[in-house]
Amino acid sequence: MKVILLEDVKSLGKKGQVVDVSDGYARNFVLPKKLGVEANGKNMNDLKLQKANAEKVAKEQLEAAKEFAALMETKEVVVSIKSGEGGRTFGSISSKEIAAAAKEQCGLEIDKKKIQLPEAIKSLGVYEVMVKLHPKVTGRLKVKVQEKQ
């Protein structure tokens, strides 16, 4: 019997796959536990529609991430930090501070977990910070670190 999986099943396959299982296994395990449905014409058509909808949503998210990355590259965020003699700073700039400054100064909603700092920012100057917006899209944000007055 052919079955469309509604959830990942360890020994069978992933959600959305059409698999061939024995009649007894389907009747006694897969169907009663709502792990899958019989692969008839209606259910196959529903599966095609769900996959098409998922692809459309994924494409829209990718386009939105590309637009946001383009917008982000035109912006510059200024972060102030207390510093001593010779431009040495007390502490460092974290991704949380960068995200807060971006929201306050530019109106950009950036999740602090998506900001990728290769190393802590511990000196004054201008830095390019990478922001992972989507698995395929990484944006750049200029961060200017200046001395707190």
Side-chain angles (χ1 to χ4, degrees):
M1 174 185 284
K2 288 200 180 282
V3 175
I4 300 171
L5 297 178
L6 299 176
E7 295 180 25
D8 292 354
V9 180
K10 192 172 185 178
S11 61
L12 287 180
K14 301 273 185 199
K15 177 181 177 180
Q17 278 186 322
V18 178
V19 293
D20 205 6
V21 296
S22 68
D23 291 351
Y25 186 64
R27 261 195 316 274
N28 295 324
F29 182 74
V30 178
L31 299 177
K33 293 196 175 195
K34 308 268 190 256
L35 298 174
V37 292
E38 187 178 346
N40 57 23
K42 178 191 177 300
N43 291 338
M44 291 296 283
N45 196 28
D46 289 347
L47 177 66
K48 285 180 187 175
L49 290 173
Q50 286 175 354
K51 284 186 178 182
N53 189 33
E55 287 177 17
K56 181 182 174 190
V57 169
K59 189 179 277 188
E60 288 174 359
Q61 288 176 343
L62 178 65
E63 292 300 318
K66 285 180 180 178
E67 288 176 22
F68 192 72
L71 173 68
M72 222 173 41
E73 290 187 16
T74 64
K75 306 285 185 183
E76 182 178 77
V77 176
V78 179
V79 181
S80 299
I81 189 169
K82 200 172 183 182
S83 62
E85 294 179 22
R88 298 210 39 201
T89 61
F90 299 114
S92 63
I93 304 291
S94 67
S95 59
K96 181 179 178 182
E97 292 169 320
I98 294 171
K103 182 176 182 181
E104 181 184 311
Q105 295 170 17
C106 306
L108 298 175
E109 287 282 340
I110 301 173
D111 186 8
K112 68 179 182 182
K113 295 174 189 147
K114 294 182 179 184
I115 296 175
Q116 299 174 328
L117 293 173
E119 58 205 38
I121 298 175
K122 294 185 178 184
S123 59
L124 305 177
V126 179
Y127 297 88
E128 268 199 1
V129 176
M130 305 303 280
V131 181
K132 189 88 167 162
L133 300 170
H134 187 272
K136 296 179 182 176
V137 179
T138 303
R140 290 190 164 103
L141 179 66
K142 277 190 181 173
V143 178
K144 183 178 181 183
V145 181
Q146 65 184 17
E147 188 172 354
K148 191 178 270 187
Q149 303 299 336

